[in-house]
Amino acid sequence: MLFRSVDLLRAVVVQSSDSIIVIETGDAETSRILYINPAFERLFGRSLTEVAGRDAREYTQNPKELGLNGLLRERLSQGNIDPVEFQIPRLDGTSVWVEARVCLLQGALDGVHRWPVISRDISERRRSEDELAHSQRMLRDAPRMAKTGTWEADLQTGELRWSRGMYDLMGLDPERHAPDRQHFLSMVHPNDREMTTALSEHVFTGRGSILTRTYRLLLRSEERRVGKECRSR
């Protein structure tokens, strides 16, 4: 029964899509590689015959990989099993983003610890995250480049939210000024203030229509800026 369990465990490790490397460490600060599974070979481009029995700090001269080995040893000593993400080069010149977890497989036995590092390729996820972040930056920057701004009002609480473009239009620093209805109205040109106040009331009463109006803002520099207000609810 034990034999079958060992065979089953071996099959799971061999067939796993996650990269697995088992390392042995002793008191002499050495880190001998005991085993890597086929997924490790595919992910990092190194075979078992190349790395088996070698010091984990010697099979590569790449600073990133050496730094990773040190980081994983430190996390293991601290009992930290949270995953760590890193980008690492491969022998073919490409690079891959990897999420790695380390855990203690066997505690001190004759002064030796054995621990696996389980890694997975997260390059596609990182690319998607980078593309999303880029799209969000473009979406955030577009109103500023077009010199437009937006604001929203919570009709239940009266809370206002201004976009960064709105702050830019008003010449205000979002770190120093919170969205404020009266402050906004005080910056409207006197000749446009009554109309803009009525528009503001229209919005805050939740009337279901679309309105477009043109008004002027008076900035501290005395510059006058024309804006258009559109709201639909």
Side-chain angles (χ1 to χ4, degrees):
M1 192 68 174
L2 177 60
F3 177 76
R4 292 181 180 177
S5 297
V6 171
D7 282 348
L8 180 60
L9 179 60
R10 181 181 295 112
V12 170
V13 171
V14 170
Q15 297 297 324
S16 173
S17 60
D18 286 349
S19 158
I20 300 175
I21 178 172
V22 181
I23 300 174
E24 180 182 80
T25 58
D27 296 333
E29 295 295 322
T30 58
S31 300
R32 189 165 66 96
I33 298 173
L34 298 181
Y35 172 80
I36 62 173
N37 71 341
F40 182 98
E41 298 185 27
R42 294 191 297 269
L43 184 59
F44 294 99
R46 291 183 173 86
S47 67
L48 180 60
T49 55
E50 291 179 89
V51 301
R54 300 189 63 180
D55 191 315
R57 299 168 301 172
E58 295 179 354
Y59 83 94
T60 179
Q61 298 300 315
N62 185 279
K64 288 188 176 181
E65 290 181 299
L66 292 173
L68 174 65
N69 290 336
L71 174 62
L72 292 177
R73 287 176 65 100
E74 179 182 354
R75 293 170 74 92
L76 180 65
S77 67
Q78 297 171 347
N80 186 345
I81 60 174
D82 292 334
V84 58
E85 296 182 5
F86 57 93
Q87 188 178 34
I88 201 165
R90 291 193 282 201
L91 295 179
D92 61 3
T94 63
S95 61
V96 59
W97 273 100
V98 173
E99 178 190 85
R101 304 187 312 278
V102 59
C103 59
L104 187 62
L105 182 64
Q106 186 178 69
L109 182 63
D110 297 329
V112 174
H113 294 79
R114 293 178 178 88
W115 45 284
V117 180
I118 305 171
S119 308
R120 64 180 51 181
D121 186 347
I122 58 169
S123 300
E124 187 61 36
R125 194 199 79 194
R126 290 295 297 243
R127 277 193 292 270
S128 297
E129 291 174 349
D130 289 344
E131 290 174 1
L132 177 60
H134 179 68
S135 298
Q136 290 175 334
R137 284 195 299 271
M138 293 184 64
L139 185 62
R140 183 177 63 248
D141 292 342
R144 189 184 310 177
M145 296 175 65
K147 296 183 178 181
T148 62
T150 60
W151 63 271
E152 296 178 340
D154 188 320
L155 300 183
Q156 299 295 323
T157 65
E159 179 187 2
L160 286 174
R161 289 183 291 272
W162 291 348
S163 69
R164 181 55 192 257
M166 190 67 180
Y167 279 102
D168 290 343
L169 282 173
M170 299 176 67
L172 299 177
D173 183 352
E175 298 296 327
R176 300 177 57 186
H177 298 89
D180 182 85
R181 184 183 179 190
Q182 294 305 317
H183 190 176
F184 164 73
L185 292 175
S186 70
M187 297 180 65
V188 176
H189 190 282
N191 293 344
D192 300 334
R193 196 164 295 157
E194 182 178 352
M195 175 269 295
T196 306
T197 300
L199 177 62
S200 178
E201 292 293 337
H202 182 93
V203 171
F204 274 90
T205 54
R207 300 173 190 173
S209 62
I210 300 176
L211 293 178
T212 300
R213 297 290 186 272
T214 300
Y215 58 87
R216 289 162 290 179
L217 292 177
L218 296 178
L219 306 182
R220 292 181 179 180
S221 62
E222 300 299 324
E223 176 186 353
R224 295 182 179 181
R225 193 173 299 182
V226 176
K228 290 186 177 180
E229 181 89 15
C230 302
R231 286 293 177 269
S232 63
R233 284 292 185 271

